[in-house]
């Protein structure tokens, strides 16, 4: 009998993702545990791969069974996290390795890295005649590089390079190498103190003086004297206090250590960029709750005290004090010694939330989001796992935080689509939170002024407990809302007369304004005046967007002979899909004529136009382009909060959850932009977006006003958002969803096929459609679904990958998932060796450009 390890292997395709059995060598039996990462040989070539140990059992070693090579990381996944990753794998139809990478920071994972390189003895200037054309291309690409990964080759070449690469290896021109990367060990610092036997004499001045005289160097004596003044001191700080360089300080310390005058100790350091926030923010007492808030809190705590998994939907108008209720609920959970996870939809909301929570909980909080460095995320993860932080704040990925005893998971602004991942694994934070609350007998608390239709439907049906806050907290009132008809205004300027007048009034009264425009860049696209074609990205099926390089560089330009030259000098064309950038051409790429029209308005143009109209207004722009650096969100929001700007102009990141007491006016520059898109959730998202941005006004003592600029002033959704009448909007929307059979009355599954070769993609789509029909007619006849497609994705080509889609209306139960899983496994094997060919599946996707016009008579399979 031997110990057998059942492992999931990282980086295998979906159809090969299953448990593999290895035997544990005798010298490793006492050290390997469930949740460890190990290195194992895999496949015919015994390729070195990283695996997670899922199960250990005693059993017989069979013929051909391979041994575990090494344990590369210990105790990475707890029992709970092993089960959670399995749930993510089965629920989202991803690989187990993808689930682990979503749950654990990359710095905590070991990996086996494979790469290719030209052999050192190869003459890089001579190409053998036997080489194929493709092998020559690859050789020339690798020649000046130390190493090349398979990912780099895939990005560089659109053809299948496997055979060409094998030819280079066979001719001993290149070689495949592997290396193991171990997890980060964290950071430590060295502390210095007096040796215990010397410390006993620290109070005796004559004794210390005698020791000092025994030292030859003045620096050594000074250092010893400094050590008598404190118990422990950091090594670098000690050198600084002594006024010596690091080299001199190390030499002096070495002497003190050798004579046993001093001693050192190592202390682990957690990289926490928010530690200073916790130290500088003054601790504040809990705010007094209104009667309505107390009633809401009582309902939530009553559910928590049942000790059973529960789900609550906290629906409150903007400014009703939902955060105060959530804080009080968190206090109740922490009092029991249990942990809390709070999710926010945007990184931009994190600074405000951290400031509020730091004032209340100090260094008990840990923050997780994608703008942190790998080391900072790793240290936050370790602090949570080691019990040093029991309040976790973060964006979507924080739902995986390894808290050992969760009492509550709160999802603020729960309606936001950012809680749904668009990369593998394509999970929704709601689903992960619901699973973890079930395991921990915890409460899932969803909070929003505009709950998602699905969540509110569950609350009305009794699946969630509905708790409501119907009035604003304190003396604050909901802002007055005015819908402005822009049909009589100039289309060249984004600011109408009513909004312009209100902004100047705010400036005179010392108040601030927020302007919302959900489009970044300067001009949406550039078209040719002669042929009407827009300039397209060479890698994607989208128009390029014009961006300026310098603020205000086009304010004084007019459409004269120098107009195009000015545009070329001061801006570039950018693809918002792949990031491709290019200069504005001299002539149209299609017809060769030199006449261009720059169309549409983005945040850059709106910023220039506002500054041109109101030179006295200080404008701050907040969009993707201005928030690329670390902590840029925090810096911009602090500037605005401190009164360093009169106007905050931005995309959606300015609309959600912010609390600026001096904001009197909110302006929506183009309320129609999100209404007329091919998405069944267009009305829901527009209503939520407008309600949220309107709610930013009048949150302090200043009366607020929201101005909605539109070319469709009679639109019912806009009018409902203006009155913040969520219940009326919900009743109309849920009837429409039921009539057309859209979620929550069904689930949606999108199967996307992508390939570089358009001809191959067409053949694959036909084969898949035939495979689906065969399954539904025989093995999965009991699976009810409506199938749409195949059709081109709304953006057909992205980074040279052509994409075709099937959309299914179904119920994503175990049987339906079994059908999709078998389809992916069987069909995935056929495309596994074709570069660039992918087969992702997305359940209830959030991509707002995903759906075609509804077919009222679809073909049912």
């Amino acid at each position: 009998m031997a110990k057998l390890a059942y492992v999931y292997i990282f980086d295998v395709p979906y159809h090969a993702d299953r448990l593999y059995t290895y035997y544990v060598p005798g010298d490793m039996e006492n050290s390997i545990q469930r949740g460890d990462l190990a290195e194992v040989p895999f496949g015919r070539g015994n390729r070195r791969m990283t695996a997670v140990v899922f199960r250990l059992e005693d059993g017989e070693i069979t013929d051909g069974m391979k041994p575990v090579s090494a344990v590369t990381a210990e105790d990475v996944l707890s029992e709970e996290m092993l089960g959670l990753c399995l749930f993510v794998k089965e629920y989202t139809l991803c690989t187990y390795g993808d689930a682990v990478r979503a749950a654990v920071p990359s710095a905590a994972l070991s990996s086996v890295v494979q790469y290719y390189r030209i052999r050192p003895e190869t003459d890089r200037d001579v190409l053998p005649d036997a080489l194929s054309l493709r092998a020559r291309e690859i050789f020339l690409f690798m020649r000046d590089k130390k190493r090349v990964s398979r990912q780099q080759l895939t990005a560089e070449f659109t053809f299948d390079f496997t055979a060409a690469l094998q030819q280079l290896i066979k001719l001993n021109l290149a070689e495949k190498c592997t290396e193991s990367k171990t997890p980060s060990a964290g950071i430590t610092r060295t502390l210095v103190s007096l040796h215990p036997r010397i410390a006993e004499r620290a109070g005796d001045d004559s004794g210390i003086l005698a020791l000092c005289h025994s030292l030859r160097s003045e620096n050594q004596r000074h250092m010893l004297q400094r050590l008598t003044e404190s118990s422990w001191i950091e090594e670098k700080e000690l050198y600084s206090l002594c006024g010596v360089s690091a080299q001199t300080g190390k030499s002096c310390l070495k002497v003190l250590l050798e004579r046993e005058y001093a001693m050192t100790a190592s202390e682990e350091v957690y990289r926490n960029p928010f530690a200073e926030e916790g130290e500088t923010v003054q601790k504040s007492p809990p705010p007094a709750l209104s009667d309505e808030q107390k009633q809401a809190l009582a309902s939530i705590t009553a559910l928590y005290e049942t000790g059973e998994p529960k789900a609550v939907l906290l629906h409150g108008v903007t400014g009703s004090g939902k955060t105060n209720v959530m804080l009080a609920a968190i206090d109740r959970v922490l009092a029991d010694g249990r942990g809390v996870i709070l999710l926010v939809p945007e990184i931009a909301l994190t600074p405000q939330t951290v400031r509020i929570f730091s004032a209340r909980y100090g260094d008990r909080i840990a923050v997780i989001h994608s703008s942190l460095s790998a080391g900072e995320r790793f240290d936050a993860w370790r602090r949570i796992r080691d019990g040093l932080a029991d309040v976790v704040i973060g964006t979507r990925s924080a739902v995986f935080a390894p808290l050992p005893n969760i009492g509550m998971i709160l999802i603020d602004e729960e309606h936001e689509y950012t809680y749904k991942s668009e990369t593998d694994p394509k999970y929704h934070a709601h689903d992960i939170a619901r699973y973890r609350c079930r395991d921990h007998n915890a409460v899932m608390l969803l909070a929003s002024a505009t709950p998602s239709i699905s969540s509110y439907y569950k609350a009305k049906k009794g699946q969630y407990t509905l708790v409501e806050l119907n009035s604003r907290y304190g003396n604050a009132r909901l802002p007055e809302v005015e819908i402005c008809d822009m049909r009589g205004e100039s289309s060249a300027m984004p600011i109408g007369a009513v909004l312009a007048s209100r902004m100047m009034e705010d400036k005179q009264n010392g108040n601030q304004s927020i302007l919302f425009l959900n489009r970044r860049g300067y001009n949406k696209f550039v078209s040719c005046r002669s042929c009407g074609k827009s300039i397209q990205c060479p890698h994607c099926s989208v128009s390029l967007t014009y961006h300026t390089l310098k603020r205000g560089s086009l304010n004084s330009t007019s459409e004269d002979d120098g107009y195009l030259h000015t545009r070329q000098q001061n801006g570039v064309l950018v693809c918002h899909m792949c990031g491709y950038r290019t200069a504005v051409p001299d002539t149209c790429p299609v017809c060769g004529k030199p006449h261009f029209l720059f169309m549409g308005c983005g945040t850059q143009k709106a910023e220039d136009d506002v500054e041109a109209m109101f030179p006295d207004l200080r404008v701050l722009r907040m969009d993707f382009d201005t928030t690329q650096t670390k902590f840029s969100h925090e810096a911009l929001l602090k500037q605005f909060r401190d009164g360093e700007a009169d106007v905050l102009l931005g995309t959606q990141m300015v609309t959600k959850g912010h609390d600026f007491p001096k904001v009197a006016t909110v302006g929506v520059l183009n309320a129609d932009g999100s209404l007329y898109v091919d998405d069944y959730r267009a009305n829901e998202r527009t209503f939520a977006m407008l309600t949220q941005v309107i709610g930013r006004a009048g949150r302090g003592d200043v009366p607020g006003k929201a101005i909605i600029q539109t070319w469709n002033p009679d639109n019912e959704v806009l009018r409902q958002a203006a009155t913040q009448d969520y219940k009326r909007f919900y009743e109309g929307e849920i009837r429409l969803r039921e009539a057309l059979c859209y979620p929550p009355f069904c689930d949606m599954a999108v199967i996307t096929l992508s390939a570089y070769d358009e001809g191959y993609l067409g053949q694959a789509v036909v084969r898949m459609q035939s495979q689906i029909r065969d399954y539904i007619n025989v093995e999965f006849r009991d699976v009810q679904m409506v199938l749409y497609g195949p059709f081109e994705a709304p953006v057909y080509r992205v980074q040279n990958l052509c994409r075709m889609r099937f959309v299914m209306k179904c119920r994503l139960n175990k049987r339906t998932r079994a059908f999709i899983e078998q389809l992916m496994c069987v069909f995935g094997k056929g495309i596994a060796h074709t570069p660039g060919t992918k087969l992702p599946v997305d359940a209830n996707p959030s991509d707002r450009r995903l759906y075609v016009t509804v077919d009222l008579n679809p073909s049912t399979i």
Side-chain angles (χ1 to χ4, degrees), residues 598-616:
F598 291 77
M599 300 291 293
C601 175
T603 50
Q604 286 186 332
K605 186 176 188 302
E607 179 184 34
D608 280 1
D609 288 346
V610 170
E611 290 183 335
M613 292 174 67
F614 313 109
D616 294 335

Side-chain angles (χ1 to χ4, degrees), residues 16-225:
D17 186 44
R18 57 181 177 82
L19 282 173
Y20 292 89
T21 309
Y22 290 81
Y23 73 85
V24 180
D27 59 347
M28 209 182 295
E29 286 187 357
N30 295 326
S31 59
I32 193 168
Q33 300 290 334
R34 286 195 69 196
D36 290 350
L37 295 186
E39 186 180 303
V40 297
F42 183 69
R44 294 180 182 177
N46 288 327
R47 181 179 169 189
R48 296 163 62 191
M49 300 286 280
T50 300
V52 58
V53 180
F54 186 78
R55 192 169 71 241
L56 291 168
E57 291 180 1
D58 292 332
E60 297 289 341
I61 301 177
T62 59
D63 292 341
M65 188 180 292
K66 300 174 184 179
V68 175
S69 301
V71 174
T72 55
E74 296 179 353
D75 195 27
V76 174
L77 294 174
S78 64
E79 292 288 330
E80 185 216 351
M81 298 307 290
L82 285 168
L84 178 60
C85 291
L86 184 62
F87 165 77
V88 173
K89 166 184 162 57
E90 294 174 346
Y91 198 80
T92 68
L93 300 173
C94 70
T95 66
Y96 196 87
D98 285 338
V100 173
R101 287 195 171 100
V104 180
S106 58
L109 298 174
S110 63
S111 61
V112 177
V113 179
Q114 289 194 340
Y115 61 92
Y116 300 88
R117 67 176 185 179
I118 301 297
R119 295 177 71 93
E121 64 272 18
T122 300
D123 187 345
R124 296 170 182 251
D125 298 321
V126 178
L127 290 174
D129 295 335
L131 280 182
S132 66
L133 181 61
R134 289 183 172 179
R136 287 171 178 266
E137 288 186 51
I138 294 173
F139 184 89
L140 293 173
F141 176 72
M142 295 173 61
R143 183 169 60 181
D144 299 324
K145 297 176 173 60
K146 291 183 178 180
R147 57 167 65 182
V148 175
S149 67
R150 198 171 185 89
Q151 289 76 13
Q152 288 176 285
L153 293 172
T154 301
E156 182 70 19
F157 303 106
T158 58
F159 55 78
D160 183 355
F161 54 77
T162 305
L165 195 58
Q166 288 300 323
Q167 185 183 22
L168 292 175
I169 295 173
K170 190 174 181 179
L171 293 174
N172 289 324
L173 299 175
E175 60 183 351
K176 181 168 70 172
C177 307
T178 59
E179 68 178 19
S180 296
K181 286 191 174 181
T182 58
S184 299
I187 294 177
T188 59
R189 64 175 182 172
T190 301
L191 301 177
V192 185
S193 175
L194 284 177
H195 195 280
R197 71 181 183 84
I198 303 300
E200 295 174 358
R201 301 161 58 182
D204 182 1
D205 291 341
S206 60
I208 295 298
L209 187 60
L211 291 175
C212 288
H213 284 309
S214 69
L215 297 170
R216 298 173 58 186
S217 162
E218 180 62 31
N219 288 331
Q220 295 169 6
R221 292 192 286 271
H222 190 191
M223 185 174 290
L224 179 61
Q225 191 64 43

Side-chain angles (χ1 to χ4, degrees), residues 235 267 281 313 325 341 350 436 524 626 639 659 750 786:
E235 182 182 5
E267 181 182 67
V281 173
L313 176 61
V325 175
I341 298 174
T350 307
R436 298 197 73 186
K524 184 179 179 182
T626 62
Q639 279 183 263
D659 193 345
V750 176
V786 179

Side-chain angles (χ1 to χ4, degrees), residues 37 44-45 117 148 165 286 297 329 350 374 389 445 472 489 493 556 572 609 651 678 716 771 798 825 834:
L37 295 186
R44 294 180 182 177
R117 67 176 185 179
V148 175
L165 195 58
L297 176 62
T350 307
L445 175 57
R472 278 197 158 185
E489 301 271 359
M493 299 301 291
S556 60
V572 293
D609 288 346
T651 53
D678 49 354
E716 187 68 13
Q771 187 80 62
V798 176
C825 288
T834 305

